[in-house]
Amino acid sequence: MIAQTPTQNSNQRRILVTAALPYANGPIHIGHLVEYIQTDIWVRFQKLVGNRCIFICADDTHGTAIMIRARKEGRSEEALIAETQVHHQRDFAGFDIQFDNYGSTNSPENLELCHQFWASLRAAGLVAERDVSQLFDPEANTFLADRFVKGTCPTCKAINQYGDNCDKCNATYSPTDLIDPKSTLSGATPELRSSKHLFVELEKLHEFLESWTQCGKHLQTEVANYLKGHFLGDPLRDWDVSRPAPYFGFEIPDAPGNYWYVWFDAPIGYIASTWAWCKANGEKLDDWWRSDATEVHHFIGKDITYFHTLFWPGMLKTAGFSLPTKVHIHGFLTVGGEKMSKSKGTFVKAETYLKHLNPTYLRYYFASKLGSKLDDLDLNLDELISKVNSDLVGKVVNLASRTAKFANKTGLSSTYPDDGGLFEAAAKAGTAIAEAYEECDFAKAMRLIMELADRANPYIENAQPWVLAKSPDSQQALRDVCTVGLNLFRQLIVYLSPVLPKLAEQCGALLGEPITSWSQSQSPLLGTQVNPFEHMLARVNPEDIQAMIEESKQENTPEPTAPADPWNDTADALNAEPLADECTIEDFVKVDLRVARIVAAEQVPEARKLLRLTLSLGGDVRKNVFAGIKSAYEPEQLIGRLVVCVANLKPRQMKFGLSEGMVTAAGSGGDEIYLLSPDSGAKPGMRVH
RNA sequence: GGGCCGGUAGCUCAGUCGGUUAGAGCAGGGGACUCAUAAUCCCUUGGUCGCGGGUUCAAGUCCUGCCCGGCCUACCA
């Protein structure tokens, strides 16, 4: 049974755990942390109950995005990923996420393993070769992934859409279908180029993948169903695993000028990082990756399900490595029920969080919300405040802070006093708590633990140590009460220690014995000294949360050096209507542009192009204007809006009446007429300078 | 359109194999205490278990139809 103390050799499981490899192209944010905190808790739990467990991770360093960014910043990819790795490791450490090894996919171990995997795939006859036509940016000298191409949607004609699908009409297409495509890197018009690509014929592993995914042990049932419905019902498509130069990655040995696609070498990085750890610790890689005695657990987000449940098992199977015992898949983080938003300041970087808040808060909050399902996890900041303040500070830490002062004088009793069965009951509850941890149902574990905490404080209340402390006759009784209080506290902390390692350390320091084993929850600590109590955990200050949100907003406001024209504006309009001859400022000021409000708008039945507008320049100044915008606007949508008009234009007699001005608009005519409007705050009558 | 998950107190959620009067925490109300970080303790208000039908001696729980929300995905399960 899990809750029992595992004897070091007999029942001990050997477990290898990975979290997804963060991409070395950006900072860690609180969304990432859901996964790393979850995984870290599980690993710490496994270690606590006495299993042999290692936590392996690495930076994912290859691919076009890294190459482009390094180029833009004028440095080598190696310099970029080295710097990012330092930041990542600093951030993880800041949240008490403790890896046994944190490697890099750009390592000699990974290169060697990629060769091994590749040779196995070749030998198994799973590699096919085909020509692929792909858009190429002649200026940036690189092939373009879908997200680096923008253009007009071939289906609905919406402009500025990415190369794979359209935001507006949800159509999916190939980037070569885009109308007027542009590279977002250089703005150049990409050209179609054909190149050789290498494919893994996954369909040949269909039968294996079907049975592996559907056996009910390796995946959550929702995931197994999803795969069955989505992919396994049809022949599996070949997987394109190569990219032609230039590409930042490993060159494919038997296809010079071609590189393994980043998603080929990234998961191999799990093994490579393990290998690096083995070398440093005198371990054999085969004991961890080619042994039935070792469990392999991957923790990932639902966005990369496909790679980890189809490609990866297929690769492992072919290359003769252990298959994952389980792939644990979690949902995304939302904040206040919405996607993280840069403008709302809810896209919080790990670094920014740590400037304002204690990592313990987030670890506990996530734990209290994490189940074993794929549901998205919502971070509600008010809830975080109330959970941390009432559960951790009010209930748990309070147990120590209200008894430790007395116990510092008396020490702990040498036999455990009668506590009405509290300690024993809580010790028994350890089984259920451990099961919840094992199942990754941390929310349940936290619930069970807090139930215990709820029973502990009334004991103190009834025993009234503050009364006992006043009388010299009741010193033994006082010591007994504190012995109970501190042992109940310690027991809770043992249970919480996978989530709250800092608190566990502080508890160990207070009682003079470090928290190292689950078994410490099963028997009380007796007859020892108690050190002076030191403040353990501050309450969450709402102002700190506000400050964090504010800083996140600041960070994400204007990016002055925007990456090479992300808007991808074409020169078509300018070419169609070249710039006019130079004019002087005197020329310009002759034209009196004014803000005006359209107070009335109506059709002119006989007119083909005109609408009749009544403009207000404020007060009771009105102008009657015939505007040639009928093809693009309905009168109803115009009433009330502000426009910019030429107010001193000589009135002109038209067929339908006198026009006393002109409304400014851009565009070539037809559907393409865009009225100019001032930003909000402008008032009718204001002059445009 | 399809798939998956969910809908239980103001909020966040438990609720085992169908089995007494549906629970907890937080918030609200009242009181107590002072050892503790205004922490804690006691009492208390609050529910048509999304809606309808069915099975059953018995339904929050099982079946079915519908409504709502989230995620995924698109003529494909």
Side-chain angles (χ1 to χ4, degrees), chain A residues 137-156:
Chain A
D137 181 332
E139 279 182 35
N141 184 37
T142 180
F143 282 92
L144 295 166
D146 293 355
R147 68 178 178 285
F148 291 116
V149 185
K150 276 188 152 186
T152 301
C153 168
T155 308
C156 74

Side-chain angles (χ1 to χ4, degrees), chain A residues 260-274:
Chain A
W260 283 303
Y261 174 46
V262 57
W263 263 110
F264 179 82
D265 72 59
I268 296 173
Y270 293 140
I271 305 180
S273 185
T274 311

Side-chain angles (χ1 to χ4, degrees), chain A residues 428-688:
Chain A
K428 281 186 181 151
T431 307
I433 295 168
E435 277 168 9
Y437 270 121
E438 176 66 31
E439 295 303 313
C440 289
D441 194 347
F442 303 154
K444 182 172 185 180
M446 295 307 105
R447 244 185 354 257
L448 293 170
I449 294 167
M450 287 311 142
E451 276 176 25
L452 303 178
D454 278 335
R455 287 179 218 149
N457 273 305
Y459 168 86
I460 310 282
E461 198 75 17
N462 293 330
Q464 300 187 313
W466 57 93
V467 174
L468 300 175
K470 285 173 187 156
S471 155
D473 303 337
S474 50
Q475 289 308 297
Q476 179 56 38
L478 173 62
R479 177 192 296 185
D480 283 350
V481 169
C482 293
T483 300
V484 171
L486 286 171
N487 269 296
L488 294 176
F489 169 69
R490 174 170 168 270
Q491 192 175 41
L492 292 170
I493 293 295
V494 172
Y495 290 152
L496 286 168
S497 64
V499 180
L500 311 171
K502 281 256 174 63
L503 214 48
E505 262 175 48
Q506 291 165 314
C507 172
L510 176 70
L511 299 177
E513 185 192 277
I515 303 296
T516 56
S517 164
W518 189 263
S519 62
Q520 289 169 294
S521 66
Q522 303 300 299
S523 54
L525 190 64
L526 296 168
T528 60
Q529 294 304 306
V530 173
N531 292 312
F533 180 77
E534 286 176 33
H535 202 274
M536 289 182 174
L537 185 67
R539 305 169 70 74
V540 185
N541 180 357
E543 286 170 19
D544 294 338
I545 289 188
Q546 262 318 308
M548 175 185 80
I549 298 290
E550 280 309 315
E551 182 170 338
S552 298
K553 273 188 201 167
Q554 301 291 323
E555 283 167 359
N556 292 302
T557 35
E559 261 188 58
T561 50
D565 187 11
W567 300 281
N568 192 25
D569 297 326
T570 71
D572 298 356
L574 192 59
N575 293 337
E577 191 174 1
L579 285 182
D581 291 341
E582 208 172 64
C583 76
T584 64
I585 185 77
E586 287 79 10
D587 292 331
F588 174 70
V589 296
K590 287 182 188 165
V591 181
D592 193 347
L593 296 171
R594 296 282 171 160
V595 174
R597 190 184 299 283
I598 300 174
V599 293
E602 58 188 83
Q603 298 284 356
V604 183
E606 309 92 307
R608 257 185 326 119
K609 294 183 175 177
L610 299 180
L611 292 180
R612 179 198 184 103
L613 307 179
T614 306
L615 303 181
S616 163
L617 294 183
D620 51 11
V621 181
R622 297 285 183 275
K623 280 183 178 290
N624 184 54
V625 170
F626 289 92
I629 58 172
K630 179 175 177 172
S631 54
Y633 290 92
E634 294 298 325
E636 305 81 65
Q637 67 189 108
L638 292 172
I639 293 169
R641 68 173 281 178
L642 296 177
V643 292
V644 175
C645 75
V646 184
N648 60 342
L649 192 66
K650 186 178 172 186
R652 182 181 171 86
Q653 186 62 45
M654 303 181 80
K655 182 176 172 187
F656 312 104
L658 191 68
S659 185
E660 304 169 285
M662 208 173 134
V663 181
T664 56
S668 55
D671 289 337
E672 294 229 337
I673 296 176
Y674 307 103
L675 284 174
L676 269 53
S677 355
D679 278 351
S680 65
K683 299 277 182 297
M686 286 178 175
R687 180 158 187 190
V688 179

Side-chain angles (χ1 to χ4, degrees), chain A residues 273-290:
Chain A
S273 185
T274 311
W275 195 7
W277 175 83
C278 286
K279 286 178 179 175
N281 291 278
E283 295 270 339
K284 287 195 222 107
L285 182 63
D286 281 0
D287 287 344
W288 292 92
W289 275 102
R290 293 186 201 261

